[in-house]
Amino acid sequence: MSKQITFNVEVRERIGKGGAREARRNGMVPGVLYGGGDDPVAISLKKNEVIKAINTGQFLSSTAQLVHAGKKQLVIPQAIQLHPVTDQPEHVDLFRVKKDQIITVEVTVNFLNEEESPGIKKGAALNVVRHAVELNVRADSIPDSLDADLTGLDIGDNVKISNIKLPDGAEPTITDRDFTIASIVGRGIAADTEEDEGAPEAGEVEAINQSNDDAE
């Protein structure tokens, strides 16, 4: 896992749209802290910390440490609203979690060693079925990404979820089958198939010629 994200927050006394607008005027991002059996709390986050977290590319799939008045709380971001024009963060929802709590997150898949795939060396293409996999995993064990090794894969071979190493105790949310992550497919296979379907087979040609001869 990468270095954990930290949010230094303040509790907002004013709630609602008025409080949110005031937080934005002060260079903060308004948010709400939910979950954990406690009441929701209106908070303000430092805008630079939120932008830094967004730029990791893992904002909604990793935990963060929330710090207030010297106390720490493990959270996971649940949602973020961005300004429609500037893409600046407008609001954040955070959810309290415990480090040993099982949570559901989407984790990106990285495809490694394409140069070691015989199929790709022959000119085949990597057909990605899933760019991310949804996992049930401990809050303190969320991986930054999952690695799919393409070494040795030839045309027609697949990468299944069983081929990917998961963190201890983690499992995909889909458990009823060994689903495909990606496959190695030959370029132009679909086009060749369409051409073959449109052309008559040898037996059909012979039958047509025979019919023409009989007509004469």
Side-chain angles (χ1 to χ4, degrees), residues 115-181:
E115 69 280 2
E116 299 300 327
S117 163
I120 293 178
K121 286 181 179 179
K122 295 173 185 175
L126 176 64
N127 178 43
V128 179
V129 179
R130 295 176 184 271
H131 292 275
V133 174
E134 193 174 65
L135 298 179
N136 292 323
V137 61
R138 279 176 54 120
D140 62 352
S141 300
I142 302 172
D144 293 336
S145 61
L146 301 175
D147 292 335
D149 189 357
L150 305 180
T151 301
L153 297 188
D154 210 335
I155 297 174
D157 289 340
N158 298 314
V159 178
K160 300 282 191 177
I161 186 61
S162 59
N163 301 130
I164 296 180
K165 180 175 175 55
L166 302 179
D168 291 341
E171 67 173 6
T173 56
I174 298 174
T175 59
D176 60 346
R177 63 187 185 277
D178 189 16
F179 57 87
T180 299
I181 304 297

Side-chain angles (χ1 to χ4, degrees), residues 1-8 49-50 52-54 56 58-59 61-67 71-77 94-101 103 138-144:
M1 296 178 65
S2 59
K3 185 178 179 181
Q4 190 174 59
I5 298 167
T6 298
F7 294 128
N8 292 281
E49 292 181 348
V50 175
K52 182 179 179 181
I54 294 171
T56 66
Q58 300 169 338
F59 182 73
S61 61
S62 60
T63 55
Q65 196 73 253
L66 187 151
V67 181
K71 296 182 179 180
K72 297 180 179 181
Q73 169 67 55
L74 190 66
V75 298
I76 186 164
L94 304 175
F95 194 84
R96 303 179 186 94
V97 295
K98 297 178 180 178
K99 65 179 183 178
D100 59 350
Q101 183 177 341
I103 58 177
R138 279 176 54 120
D140 62 352
S141 300
I142 302 172
D144 293 336

Side-chain angles (χ1 to χ4, degrees), residues 55-115:
N55 290 339
T56 66
Q58 300 169 338
F59 182 73
L60 296 177
S61 61
S62 60
T63 55
Q65 196 73 253
L66 187 151
V67 181
H68 174 253
K71 296 182 179 180
K72 297 180 179 181
Q73 169 67 55
L74 190 66
V75 298
I76 186 164
Q78 289 285 287
I80 182 167
Q81 296 176 14
L82 302 177
H83 190 280
V85 176
T86 65
D87 278 341
Q88 293 295 298
E90 291 276 287
H91 189 275
V92 175
D93 288 339
L94 304 175
F95 194 84
R96 303 179 186 94
V97 295
K98 297 178 180 178
K99 65 179 183 178
D100 59 350
Q101 183 177 341
I102 302 297
I103 58 177
T104 301
V105 295
E106 269 200 351
V107 182
T108 302
V109 179
N110 291 330
F111 296 94
L112 309 178
N113 302 319
E114 289 192 32
E115 69 280 2

Side-chain angles (χ1 to χ4, degrees), residues 40-57:
V41 177
I43 58 175
S44 294
L45 301 87
K46 294 182 178 179
K47 189 173 184 178
N48 65 319
E49 292 181 348
V50 175
I51 293 174
K52 182 179 179 181
I54 294 171
N55 290 339
T56 66

